[in-house]
Amino acid sequence: MFDIAKTIWLLLPAYTPNNFAVVFGGGTPLDFGKNFIDGKRILGDGKTIRGFVAGVLGGILVAHLQLLIERILGFQIYSKLQYHQFLQLVFLLAFGAMAGDSLGSFIKRRFGVERGKCFPILDQLTFLLVAYAFASQSPAFGSLFTPKIILIGIVITPLLHLAVNVVAYVLKLKEVPW
Ligand code: CTP
Ligand code: MG
């Protein structure tokens, strides 16, 4: 149980960027409206420059709030790291999450899945795998993300996604429970 809570805590800088993109996104699409060689959009209108930047900054902001909460409640996960190592790690988690989110859209468009339509597993795991790949380039990654934590992240992320969506549906924030 503690490991699950710790995994969620460590992954918040990768989980939250897409929410910032939803709130602050819009404007010029990342692919500038261009099509790929298959004649379909490279990424589609759901991936915007402003959303990407807001997502990365939002993830970094959340990580700083986590540092604050760790200090107030007196536990050390992210605050164990030296500040520059912390900053590098959470930047890579947030940037990787947004890059992975875009890669997911690239793959969806190649399969002919329209913008906004769901593609189970891909929608929930691509961002996480790319966030891991980017973050693993930080020297601090291994001290916090043990193989066990990494695996728990892969298992719980689709389940969390489902749980959050069901709650949003019950609260009538969403039209469908997925
Ligand atoms: N968003 C954005 N820029 C990003 C990512 C997301 O502006 N880089 C905004 C868009 O308004 C998008 C919404 O957040 O519609 C929801 O994000 P997401 O579910 O990732 O995009 P979809 O619209 O579902 O598009 P896709 O099918 O390509 O995933
Ligand atoms: Mg979507």
Side-chain angles (χ1 to χ4, degrees), residues 18 21-26 30 43-53 98 101-102 104-106 108-109 113-117 123:
N18 190 264
V22 171
V23 175
F24 298 106
L30 268 176
L43 300 174
D45 286 330
K47 302 295 116 126
T48 66
I49 297 173
R50 209 167 70 208
F52 193 103
V53 173
M98 288 319 284
D101 178 58
S102 304
S105 293
F106 178 78
K108 282 165 81 174
R109 299 302 91 82
V113 179
E114 276 173 51
R115 176 243 171 129
K117 293 279 178 297
D123 270 340

Side-chain angles (χ1 to χ4, degrees), residues 42-127:
I42 302 175
L43 300 174
D45 286 330
K47 302 295 116 126
T48 66
I49 297 173
R50 209 167 70 208
F52 193 103
V53 173
V56 175
L57 293 178
I60 294 171
L61 174 75
V62 166
H64 283 81
L65 295 177
Q66 291 180 262
L67 275 189
L68 208 66
I69 293 168
E70 288 185 16
R71 250 161 241 175
I72 292 168
L73 298 184
F75 65 99
Q76 287 203 318
I77 296 178
Y78 273 126
S79 48
K80 264 200 308 214
L81 302 175
Q82 286 187 300
Y83 183 70
H84 70 278
Q85 294 208 323
F86 157 82
L87 200 58
Q88 184 193 39
L89 177 61
V90 300
F91 166 75
L92 290 171
L93 281 171
F95 188 88
M98 288 319 284
D101 178 58
S102 304
L103 174 65
S105 293
F106 178 78
I107 298 170
K108 282 165 81 174
R109 299 302 91 82
R110 305 293 69 76
F111 278 98
V113 179
E114 276 173 51
R115 176 243 171 129
K117 293 279 178 297
C118 71
F119 194 136
I121 303 300
L122 186 115
D123 270 340
Q124 292 112 49
L125 279 184
T126 315
F127 85 92

